[in-house]
Amino acid sequence: MSAGALWLASLTAFPAAGAPLLAHRAFRGYGLAARLALAAACGAVAVSWTMNVASLAGWPWRLPLVLLAALAECFALRFLLPRSPSGAEPSFDRGPVTFWERAAVAVTLAAITIAAAATLSTSATSPDLLLFWGPKAGAFAAARGLDAAYLGDPLLRYQHLSYPPLVPNVYAFATIAAGAGRLPWMAAAATFPLLLAATAAGLAGVLRNSFSRRDAWIATAAITAALGLLGEVFDVAGNADPTLLLFETLAAAILVGSAGTTRAGQLLAGMLFAGAVAAKVEGLPFVAAAGVLFLFARRRSISWRHAPVFLFGPALLSLGGWFAFGRVRGLFRAYETYGPTLEVYLERLGPVLSGIAKALGAGGAGLPWLLPIAALLFARRRSRAALYPAAIAFILSAFFVFTYLHGAPDPALWIDWSAGRIFSIVSVLLTLAVIAGRARAGAAEETPPRSPATER
């Protein structure tokens, strides 16, 4: 078996690591495929956090020990959940599959296939994979730990040493496990269609646990097609954006639906939040907006003793290990910034907005934003539940614009290479707003999920 195939095969360690948590009866209603995708996400969070702590303690990475520790962490999380009602079974729509559902499944599979073809042809390969995600992973694998000497090299400042390490850690884990000696570049790029497939599998299971089967599949198809198109146009294969979008999309889907009011849903969303903040810098404003708005929107239907801890606790631990390593090794104390917070160049607002509009429309990529906006504007009925994802989308958009008003005198190039990627989550959130808006007013808040997860 080639090094690349072994590298990809070693990624099965992550769903194995997260399996003890997702095997809990509270998650049975999501279905097997969704639970496998969610287990992989939670397993990656636990493995990466363990690798950070090991490096902080000065211990070299020994993969069997890292994996066993991650398994133990995910198993321990089960004790935070209540016992589910005995004998309860998931309750999905049992009616015949409709034409629209078949069409949605076909679109989803086609989007994943096209993403795989684009990856194999290298048309979607990210330059950032070659510039810093890949080199960091290779350095970490060679050092069997977070390589402080590599990160502190002044000649490598362009590699953004404070960027969170989940993606390089995952790549390093697979590189060591495969005995590759170096990062297999094509295998790393192939994570794009794999992550897109995992996002689709997790999304379908999560949404149909709170919404109708038809709406769940149509939303899954729309989001998968959008992320596939945006990933190909904006060259994300191999970089951290598909990983970030996996965590963000699944977390938002849980919190939009009725599962968000349960302890199981909140803990799962918290683990996905932890993955988002550990995947890319943009994960932090997403977690802040999604978490705070959720607590406000569901303030009457959640337990204030559990919800804030479950939502934000894993993310604080996830970031805490990384920033502790940076501080102890004298590398960094916080994320890199583009200038003083209050040093805002408001005269740039017009060019920044026009630059964003131009970037988002590149290569015909504007549809993933325009279609859900049109669906929201012209919908015959709207539920208040649509306000939650729409508000997150608005806050993130405002934050990204605010960020572009800092830094370089002319942000045009910066916007051109980054706007399409960082605004991708806005497309996802708008689509979730459409499906939430179709529900009966108040249904998402009042109707418990059709599964054992109703136990709070």
Side-chain angles (χ1 to χ4, degrees):
M1 187 179 291
S2 68
L6 284 171
W7 193 93
L8 291 171
S10 69
L11 298 179
T12 57
F14 299 107
L21 175 59
L22 271 296
H24 193 279
R25 290 176 60 86
F27 302 112
R28 182 179 296 180
Y30 293 139
L32 179 59
R35 281 189 292 158
L36 283 173
L38 291 162
C42 292
V45 171
V47 166
S48 179
W49 183 81
T50 302
M51 295 166 84
N52 292 343
V53 172
S55 290
L56 178 62
W59 302 330
W61 291 340
R62 292 182 172 85
L63 297 196
L65 296 179
V66 168
L67 193 56
L68 284 173
L71 279 163
E73 292 157 16
C74 289
F75 184 79
L77 291 172
R78 293 168 59 97
F79 293 97
L80 298 175
L81 301 176
R83 292 185 178 181
S84 299
S86 60
E89 295 294 333
S91 176
F92 296 134
D93 295 345
R94 302 296 185 183
V97 178
T98 67
F99 166 79
W100 289 109
E101 290 165 9
R102 291 192 182 95
V105 172
V107 169
T108 301
L109 294 176
I112 296 168
T113 302
I114 293 170
T119 300
L120 290 175
S121 69
T122 71
S123 66
T125 301
S126 170
D128 289 347
L129 169 64
L130 307 178
L131 287 173
F132 52 85
W133 299 112
K136 277 186 182 179
F140 293 174
R144 296 293 178 112
L146 301 174
D147 192 338
Y150 179 86
L151 292 173
D153 189 334
L155 297 178
L156 300 175
R157 300 297 290 184
Y158 68 92
Q159 294 203 5
H160 306 293
L161 63 92
S162 68
Y163 269 27
L166 184 142
V167 172
N169 284 354
V170 166
Y171 287 2
F173 183 100
T175 302
I176 296 170
R182 62 181 182 83
L183 179 71
W185 298 100
M186 279 303 299
T191 56
F192 168 42
L194 290 177
L195 288 165
L196 186 63
T199 302
L203 191 58
V206 168
L207 290 179
R208 70 180 182 169
N209 200 42
S210 295
F211 303 99
S212 71
R213 188 179 66 191
R214 171 179 159 170
D215 282 355
W217 271 113
I218 290 175
T220 297
I223 290 173
T224 305
L227 294 183
L229 171 64
L230 297 176
E232 196 280 329
V233 172
F234 297 112
D235 300 335
V236 303
N239 73 7
D241 289 284
T243 305
L244 174 65
L245 288 166
L246 168 74
F247 289 121
E248 292 178 330
T249 300
L250 297 182
I254 290 170
L255 297 180
V256 164
S258 49
T261 60
T262 68
R263 287 169 61 177
Q266 290 158 14
L267 179 61
L268 186 53
M271 288 295 288
L272 295 167
F273 277 179
V277 299
K280 280 197 78 181
V281 176
E282 292 85 0
L284 190 55
F286 167 81
V287 168
V292 172
L293 286 176
F294 173 81
L295 294 177
F296 175 78
R298 302 292 183 90
R299 60 191 179 278
R300 295 186 179 90
S301 55
I302 61 173
S303 166
W304 282 89
R305 185 174 65 177
H306 299 115
V309 176
F310 284 4
L311 286 177
F312 296 115
L316 291 174
L317 287 173
S318 182
L319 277 184
W322 173 238
F323 284 122
F325 176 83
R327 181 163 188 169
V328 168
R329 297 297 190 275
L331 296 171
F332 54 85
R333 292 173 178 266
Y335 285 141
E336 300 169 16
T337 62
Y338 295 104
T341 303
L342 299 179
E343 192 174 307
V344 180
Y345 301 95
L346 291 177
E347 65 274 13
R348 295 183 189 169
L349 183 60
V352 163
L353 293 177
S354 63
I356 291 172
K358 180 181 178 181
L360 298 189
L367 290 178
W369 293 281
L370 295 177
L371 290 179
I373 290 174
L376 286 171
L377 291 177
F378 298 105
R380 288 182 294 177
R381 56 176 179 167
R382 299 188 191 91
S383 166
R384 289 172 55 192
L387 293 175
Y388 171 63
I392 303 172
F394 176 80
I395 290 173
L396 288 180
S397 298
F399 178 81
F400 296 148
V401 171
F402 178 77
T403 302
Y404 285 134
L405 295 176
H406 294 73
D410 183 4
L413 183 59
W414 179 20
I415 292 171
D416 186 59
W417 80 59
S418 66
R421 292 183 287 111
I422 67 173
F423 275 89
S424 294
I425 186 57
V426 174
S427 167
V428 173
L429 292 166
L430 292 174
T431 304
L432 291 176
V434 173
I435 183 178
R438 283 176 51 82
R440 178 176 58 84
E445 290 88 349
E446 297 169 5
T447 305
R450 300 185 296 273
S451 77
T454 55
E455 184 72 20
R456 294 186 189 178

